[in-house]
Amino acid sequence: MIVKRTGPLKGTMTVPGDKSISHRAIMLGALSEGITEINNFLMGEDCLSTISCFRRLGISIEIAGNNRVTVHGKGLDGLMAPNDVLDVGNSGTTIRLLSGILCGQKFSSVITGDSSIQQRPMGRIITPLNQMGADIKSVSENQKAPLIINGTHFNGLKGIHHHSPVASAQIKSCVLLAGLYADNETKVTEPALSRNHTELMLSEFGASVTVNNYTASVLPRPRLTGRKIRVPGDISSAAYFIAAALIVPNSELRIEKVGINPTRDGIINVCRMMGGDINLENIRKDGGEYVADILVRHSNLKGIEICGSIIPTLIDEIPIIAVLSCFAEGKTIIKDAWELRVKESDRIEVMVRNLSNMGADITATEDGMIINGGRTLHGTVIDSKKDHRIAMSFAVAGLVADGETNIIDDECVNISYPGFFEAIAQ
Ligand code: S3P
């Protein structure tokens, strides 16, 4: 995709449904009794991978037009042995959350994904699941996918209290979902609060979930009941348009019906701290999640320090924040973001290399980056490493850079935002 400098972004738009919530709606719908009807489901490749895994586990799922999906749930014990390997494609959420569920089943399964998934750390879920008594291991004994999971047969799983070294919703959700099949309460304590969609949605479906600061607990063997879900717009997708409107002069954009769950809204807080003119309007609760219309106007930004407990609330937005920082006056320091090194790509390395190639003053650190804003960026060839968030971040950079920005492997945007380039063009 070639992106060139643009005039102001003006108008009203929506973004596709939230990726994290869409995955969980399929999973909990499958484990519930009765029908779950999901509206505004994200038809991105990652969420379609979750659908195809659950179909392989014997769940009937219908996809209608208009982003509506119907899941015919079969209850906690309704999954069937898959007749083939479960393939999660590029989706870290699918492999980690589904592994927790599979550990509670009586049948065995093998789960894997694409070459990026096979490089991502799975020891972080294997360790607590083994402590629960699950028989899950890495086929190549390298703590990476493919993972082989043997059924629990007679014993079931043990409830544990897991102290996760990382604030990760994927670890927390994996252990809580396994906890549905345990003999006792299962608790997860994390060092900072990661996104809480699993806790919220489990409660909505009828599970008994308690949250106390950074500890979430679930009681085993709930009776989950199918329900209607409306997925809010994905704030992680809105982030590219928030950033574009902030840095393209004279822009004024309204992005409607975006999820603003406080465990996800770090991008709004950071943009405001940088001096961004952002208003949240029409704030309301829709099915357990807060939603708002976001009004953004072009702003003069300043560099700030971003670290500590805000990091998990904007972990997927750091690539676009790096782009924003190049247009801010002064220095931006991003710390405590080691997790970026083990995402779909090493996002610290890939952002620093590509932004440097565009002329930015940016240095990688072990756990983040340091950016001195104010240099003019020049269009060049961008290697996205097939990472959707990298490709979309550079599409935004290209709107303000001199010359042409040519993004390689741009089709990876379909992982989380099908129609992204059409939306930008519009
Ligand atoms: C996700 C959690 C985050 C995030 C990912 C989606 C989820 O990963 O980066 O895109 O849906 O639970 P971690 O929880 O591992 O940080």
Side-chain angles (χ1 to χ4, degrees):
M1 177 63 59
I2 293 183
V3 183
K4 295 183 195 161
R5 189 191 287 278
T6 181
L9 285 81
K10 289 203 184 276
T12 297
M13 66 180 294
T14 55
V15 290
D18 187 275
K19 180 158 80 70
S20 294
I21 297 176
S22 295
H23 283 300
R24 287 157 172 83
I26 298 292
M27 295 182 184
L28 296 190
L31 302 183
S32 296
E33 287 165 31
I35 289 180
T36 288
E37 188 185 296
I38 312 167
N39 286 295
N40 202 36
F41 182 82
L42 170 63
M43 296 292 173
E45 284 169 8
D46 270 9
C47 298
L48 295 175
S49 293
T50 293
I51 290 186
S52 80
C53 287
F54 275 87
R55 282 181 170 158
R56 189 147 272 172
L57 290 160
I59 301 296
S60 157
I61 302 173
E62 292 152 37
I63 302 181
N66 249 344
N67 304 324
R68 179 175 313 154
V69 173
T70 308
V71 184
H72 296 263
K74 291 204 201 161
L76 222 50
D77 297 310
L79 300 181
M80 279 163 39
N83 58 6
D84 206 342
V85 169
L86 297 164
D87 182 359
V88 305
N90 190 245
S91 176
T93 306
T94 312
I95 194 164
R96 296 205 178 101
L97 273 60
L98 182 50
S99 293
I101 295 171
L102 292 172
C103 283
Q105 308 304 315
K106 302 221 177 325
F107 54 79
S108 299
S109 44
V110 177
I111 189 163
T112 191
D114 67 10
S115 56
S116 153
I117 277 290
Q118 292 184 31
Q119 289 312 312
R120 298 185 65 184
M122 294 298 149
R124 50 180 60 193
I125 60 160
I126 295 175
T127 302
L129 290 170
N130 284 160
Q131 281 164 6
M132 294 178 84
D135 182 358
I136 171 170
K137 52 181 177 281
S138 155
V139 168
S140 316
E141 294 186 3
N142 59 358
Q143 305 283 298
K144 291 181 180 162
L147 304 175
I148 178 155
I149 299 166
N150 288 313
T152 53
H153 299 289
F154 310 110
N155 297 335
L157 300 176
K158 290 193 291 279
I160 60 165
H161 186 171
H162 180 56
H163 292 267
S164 173
V166 191
S168 156
Q170 293 184 354
I171 302 176
K172 174 174 63 176
S173 305
C174 165
V175 175
L176 292 177
L177 291 171
L180 299 179
Y181 296 92
D183 60 353
N184 224 319
E185 190 177 28
T186 296
K187 292 188 184 196
V188 182
T189 299
E190 45 186 353
L193 198 57
S194 66
R195 65 192 66 192
N196 63 358
H197 306 299
T198 302
E199 297 91 299
L200 293 179
M201 205 186 283
L202 271 171
S203 288
E204 292 277 317
F205 273 85
S208 174
V209 177
T210 318
V211 178
N212 193 352
N213 289 325
Y214 297 165
T215 302
S217 341
V218 69
L219 291 179
R221 304 224 51 98
R223 185 156 176 210
L224 304 177
T225 316
R227 50 180 295 111
K228 273 196 174 181
I229 296 178
R230 198 189 148 73
V231 181
D234 196 327
I235 191 167
S236 298
S237 298
Y240 303 101
F241 288 91
I242 294 173
L246 287 174
I247 60 179
V248 176
N250 299 317
S251 295
E252 181 169 334
L253 196 60
R254 178 187 297 276
I255 315 171
E256 293 186 331
K257 297 186 203 152
V258 182
I260 51 156
N261 178 317
T263 62
R264 294 283 299 282
D265 69 352
I267 178 71
I268 309 265
N269 298 328
V270 157
C271 288
R272 283 178 168 163
M273 286 188 277
M274 294 177 87
D277 179 353
I278 301 185
N279 276 309
L280 299 187
E281 295 178 348
N282 201 9
I283 299 177
R284 65 257 184 212
K285 207 168 188 186
D286 191 357
E289 294 276 357
Y290 281 101
V291 174
D293 302 334
I294 303 178
L295 183 64
V296 198
R297 293 190 188 90
H298 170 255
S299 308
N300 294 322
L301 302 178
K302 58 178 191 300
I304 58 167
E305 186 167 314
I306 307 166
C307 59
S309 60
I310 199 172
I311 294 291
T313 71
L314 47 69
I315 190 71
D316 291 340
E317 286 65 76
I318 294 178
I320 190 63
I321 290 172
V323 170
L324 276 179
S325 308
C326 293
F327 297 94
E329 197 189 316
K331 192 190 287 285
T332 295
I333 302 175
I334 301 171
K335 293 199 289 204
D336 302 329
W338 311 267
E339 280 296 297
L340 291 186
R341 297 227 178 249
V342 289
K343 292 290 178 191
E344 287 84 327
S345 67
D346 176 342
R347 287 181 175 163
I348 295 178
E349 208 264 322
V350 178
M351 285 309 297
V352 169
R353 188 160 28 80
N354 282 310
L355 277 173
S356 299
N357 289 346
M358 290 183 88
D361 177 351
I362 178 167
T363 315
T365 60
E366 213 184 326
D367 64 345
M369 24 194 146
I370 300 171
I371 301 134
N372 288 304
R375 288 217 194 155
T376 304
L377 298 191
H378 309 284
T380 183
V381 175
I382 302 295
D383 184 356
S384 68
K385 294 285 174 199
K386 302 192 173 147
D387 181 332
H388 52 136
R389 303 216 183 273
I390 302 288
M392 291 189 275
S393 297
F394 281 95
V396 173
L399 298 177
V400 197
D402 286 346
E404 288 186 351
T405 302
N406 185 357
I407 301 161
I408 307 287
D409 289 325
D410 58 302
E411 67 287 344
C412 62
V413 303
N414 293 326
I415 286 168
S416 63
Y417 197 154
F420 170 78
F421 288 110
E422 292 78 354
I424 280 258
Q426 210 180 344

